[in-house]
Amino acid sequence: MSSAPASLLEVDLEVERRQITVRAGFGLEAGERLAIFGTSGAGKTTILESIAGLTRLNRGNVRIGGDLVAGKAKGEAALEPRQRRVALVRQPTTLFPHLTVEENVAYGIRRSPARGGVTELLERLGLTMLARARGAALSGGQRQRVALGRALASPFRVLLLDEPYSAVDVAAREALRLLTIETCKEREAAGILVTHDLAEAQAFGGRLGIIDSGRLLQMGGPLEVVLSPLSRRVAQLVGYGGFVPVPAVANRFYAIHPDRVILGEVPERGLVLSGTIRSTRPFGPRYECTVAQRSGEQFTIHLDEPAVAGEECTLTVLDPPIVVA
Amino acid sequence: MRTTIPAGNLAATGVVPGFPSAGRIVARGSTVLALLGALAIWLALLGPFAVLIQHLSLHSIRAALGPPGALDPLWVSLGASAIALGVMVLLGTPLAYLLARGRLPLARLVELGILLPLMMPPLVIGLLLIFLIGPEGTLGNLLADIHLTGVNTFFALIVAEFYEAAPFYILGAHAAFASVDPRIEQDATLLGDRPLQAFRRITLPLAAPGLATGLATAWARAMGAFGAVIIVAYYPRGLPNQIFIAFQEFGLSGALPFALLLVVAALPLPILAYLWSARTRSRVAGVEAP
């Protein structure tokens, strides 16, 4: 044991992967949640496996409650996996194929009183009817529920989720999300979710981190990061589709988010731009239009009404963040 | 897979509606050929068993196996094979597991060491065993200190059977362990298992069908071990030796009853193991076995 820990989970790591070097440094308090959003291959899974102590670090270490879990420290041995109290939901899910759904979910429960909770948990996961089924008989979404249940039933201090709802139908996700968040709060555990779905990352609550090519580029509140990206890359990752140079300032751009644009000239609400509609296509219940400025810059916007291709238009970009190239 | 060809191209492709295409005829032909091949191999493999049954009479069985002491070779073979198998499981299982998980230094060299007895003619193994564990051998001297002799003893029979059969079990177990995803072992330890617990609760049940098949193969090999056995352990007489001796003394009719005895003693375990592992595999794969 080291001296009083700063946070429940302390991460400062560097891992070499074939294509990239993954670096991450952050701390999470008890009950705090972090969602890490990035494209596939950005290093999300590597971060989770490193925090679980399953990957050899090239530098740094991971501590849970002050105890060393991964990496090296003088005169200190890392906790054995069974003592870490880390629950990991992998992608693709890894169930124990020879055990039933119920046995899978109850696997991490050591004390018999806690086993009573399994029935209730199975019910909340919508798995009661499948309690006696084995992994191979389940659909992808059902497998994910079992893996989530197995993690939630175990006495974890840190919950690590790798795209845990990706195969679950959208209607059922909200219930699973609530169950996950509620359990994290009850246990006063730290939770980390990694995903390539920005809405999912924001819905997890807590903080939002953006990862790209192995580096955590920005961390902050789930709305703050999206409304105020610091760099052009972060802005691109969270959905900004156009960048207009800030006049007379080198290397600074207004970032244009397709959903934060209104037709017309309203200078008090943001940046007024004019351009020509290049094309229009349906986008869900709205329309997506490509707009070209006179300078040649192109960007997309989402509108409630279809705009006619070739038409000149004036737009107001609502409070566009200024990003560095 | 069927592809749709525009009508205009029919002439060009030579496909006439209503008639099977050349490709389909070839596909059907190859299916028939494969079935015939499978049947031929099956008959060829089962042929010797059919002949064995056909040429045996109740009278010759009673004459050969009736006299007192006639079944002794059976007990010798069963005892020696069971001990050889026990040693194999005890030493071979951890070795196979470590090999499968890449945790052994010089793994390739170790694998070669396991393969070597498999690639060497059993007769040659027998000759070399005399040098190794015979009274004049390097290990033979050490064995003499604990009153063991490596030639013509029950111990020598066990050693010879071990050399002939162990690679089959170790290679089978290696494949069985390699088929278990190491990530689910990690999951079990993260969920609170000690490494040995995870091995018992997860790895072993999942590898069991493969282990059973390896064990059954090794059992059949040990029971039938002859090449190395006849060199280092002519005595005590096990079943294969008895068959050979009976063949030399009384010809085919004298040897066949012991051959039947060997088949009856050696086969049930492999067959049971096969049936059980097929059932377990299909259960894990989510398909109900009959």
Side-chain angles (χ1 to χ4, degrees):
Chain A
M1 287 285 277
S2 66
S3 56
S7 311
L8 172 65
L9 173 68
E10 292 166 84
V11 177
D12 171 25
L13 60 84
E14 190 178 304
V15 181
E16 297 280 346
R17 278 285 177 254
R18 258 166 288 171
Q19 311 278 336
I20 51 168
T21 302
V22 179
R23 293 190 189 89
F26 57 85
L28 284 183
E29 304 296 336
E32 202 182 356
R33 295 186 304 282
L34 166 68
I36 299 178
F37 164 79
T39 53
S40 59
K44 305 188 296 287
T45 302
T46 302
I47 289 187
L48 288 194
E49 288 181 349
S50 304
I51 293 173
L54 304 176
T55 305
R56 213 168 61 182
L57 309 185
N58 291 80
R59 195 196 58 74
N61 55 39
V62 176
R63 286 176 185 281
I64 297 175
D67 298 323
L68 188 68
V69 164
K72 288 190 179 112
K74 256 186 196 160
E76 219 179 329
L79 283 185
E80 274 183 48
R82 68 186 174 89
Q83 297 167 323
R84 292 175 193 161
R85 289 173 57 200
V86 169
L88 172 64
V89 175
R90 299 188 199 247
Q91 176 63 26
T93 43
T94 46
L95 300 183
F96 303 131
H98 58 305
L99 301 181
T100 62
V101 165
E102 190 173 9
E103 288 165 340
N104 263 283
V105 170
Y107 196 92
I109 302 172
R110 303 285 137 162
R111 287 168 304 126
S112 50
R115 287 181 176 266
V118 171
T119 316
E120 194 199 325
L121 186 58
L122 286 175
E123 201 180 315
R124 289 196 67 179
L125 290 162
L127 291 170
T128 308
M129 300 290 281
L130 293 166
R132 286 175 188 280
R134 286 193 170 78
L138 306 177
S139 71
Q142 289 164 341
R143 289 175 61 83
Q144 283 191 332
R145 288 164 196 245
V146 179
L148 183 68
R150 189 175 71 182
L152 294 181
S154 74
F156 63 88
R157 291 186 293 182
V158 172
L159 180 66
L160 305 173
L161 307 167
D162 194 349
E163 310 268 6
Y165 321 120
S166 58
V168 176
D169 48 289
V170 180
R173 280 186 199 184
E174 177 61 13
L176 295 185
R177 199 182 291 135
L178 283 176
L179 175 66
T180 310
I181 293 171
E182 192 183 290
T183 316
C184 265
K185 278 184 187 160
E186 270 172 21
R187 305 272 182 88
E188 295 193 327
I192 301 179
L193 174 136
V194 303
T195 176
H196 64 270
D197 178 342
L198 181 62
E200 195 60 67
Q202 288 182 293
F204 191 57
R207 281 189 284 164
L208 173 65
I210 309 293
I211 190 173
D212 187 46
S213 300
R215 291 179 56 207
L216 270 171
L217 299 179
Q218 190 175 341
M219 273 227 258
L223 201 57
E224 174 202 339
V225 173
V226 176
L227 289 181
S228 316
L230 297 175
S231 67
R232 185 167 170 152
R233 182 62 187 144
V234 171
Q236 279 172 337
L237 288 169
V238 299
Y240 288 79
F243 297 91
V244 178
V246 177
V249 188
N251 253 344
R252 294 284 190 281
F253 296 85
Y254 290 113
I256 302 167
H257 195 287
D259 287 320
R260 294 192 51 78
V261 175
I262 51 172
L263 279 177
E265 191 174 339
V266 196
E268 63 277 15
R269 293 197 62 189
L271 175 72
V272 176
L273 296 173
S274 56
T276 312
I277 303 288
R278 276 286 153 85
S279 59
T280 302
R281 54 209 162 266
F283 184 81
R286 306 178 78 198
Y287 296 89
E288 186 172 72
C289 311
T290 302
V291 180
Q293 280 192 286
R294 251 174 237 116
S295 57
E297 301 279 346
Q298 283 201 8
F299 52 89
T300 56
I301 57 171
H302 296 154
L303 299 174
D304 292 325
E305 304 294 332
V308 181
E311 223 172 51
E312 292 285 321
C313 64
T314 305
L315 314 158
T316 303
V317 184
L318 305 174
D319 298 326
I322 295 175
V323 297
V324 184
Chain B
M1 202 154 81
R2 286 180 66 163
T3 45
T4 315
I5 301 162
N9 288 346
L10 285 180
T13 56
V15 175
V16 183
F19 287 87
S21 68
R24 210 177 296 165
I25 291 171
V26 170
R28 267 186 210 160
S30 54
T31 309
V32 171
L33 264 181
L35 282 174
L36 283 177
L39 188 70
I41 289 175
W42 191 70
L43 285 176
L45 290 177
L46 281 185
F49 292 99
V51 172
L52 179 66
I53 304 296
Q54 188 194 344
H55 285 87
L56 266 174
S57 67
L58 210 61
H59 172 72
S60 62
I61 294 176
R62 213 177 285 149
L65 305 179
L71 290 180
D72 286 355
L74 171 67
W75 310 132
V76 169
S77 274
L78 283 175
S81 300
I83 296 174
L85 224 65
V87 177
M88 244 175 259
V89 171
L90 221 59
L91 302 179
T93 310
L95 173 67
Y97 179 74
L98 294 176
L99 266 178
R101 288 288 173 266
R103 293 206 205 135
L104 277 188
L106 303 172
R108 288 267 165 250
L109 213 63
V110 177
E111 271 177 51
L112 190 70
I114 297 164
L115 280 172
L116 215 58
L118 200 66
M119 293 186 287
M120 277 206 298
L123 218 53
V124 178
I125 295 178
L127 292 173
L128 299 181
L129 277 180
I130 292 193
F131 284 112
L132 189 69
I133 58 170
E136 308 299 323
T138 336
L139 281 175
N141 287 325
L142 293 173
L143 289 171
D145 291 344
I146 50 169
H147 306 291
L148 274 178
T149 313
V151 174
N152 284 339
T153 56
F154 190 61
F155 170 70
L157 179 61
I158 294 169
V159 173
E161 286 187 354
F162 183 86
Y163 269 86
E164 282 203 36
F168 289 93
Y169 173 66
I170 299 171
L171 293 177
H174 176 272
F177 287 133
S179 72
V180 179
D181 185 350
R183 294 184 311 158
I184 71 170
E185 284 175 357
Q186 289 179 339
D187 288 352
T189 58
L190 280 179
L191 287 164
D193 274 355
R194 290 167 194 279
L196 263 179
Q197 261 179 319
F199 182 80
R200 182 176 56 77
R201 294 175 78 188
I202 302 298
T203 317
L204 211 52
L206 288 175
L211 291 175
T213 310
L215 202 63
T217 315
W219 170 257
R221 300 303 305 181
M223 282 293 287
F226 178 65
V229 168
I230 198 145
I231 304 282
V232 292
Y234 194 78
Y235 296 107
R237 204 179 280 174
L239 264 181
N241 274 4
Q242 177 62 33
I243 294 171
F244 180 66
I245 290 162
F247 178 61
Q248 280 191 318
E249 288 180 6
F250 310 108
L252 260 181
S253 60
L256 279 184
F258 290 103
L260 177 73
L261 193 59
L262 179 57
V263 169
V264 167
L267 271 191
L269 186 71
I271 290 174
L272 280 178
Y274 172 77
L275 291 177
W276 178 76
S277 65
R279 212 181 106 90
T280 312
R281 278 203 183 100
S282 62
R283 203 178 62 165
V284 169
V287 186
E288 282 307 315

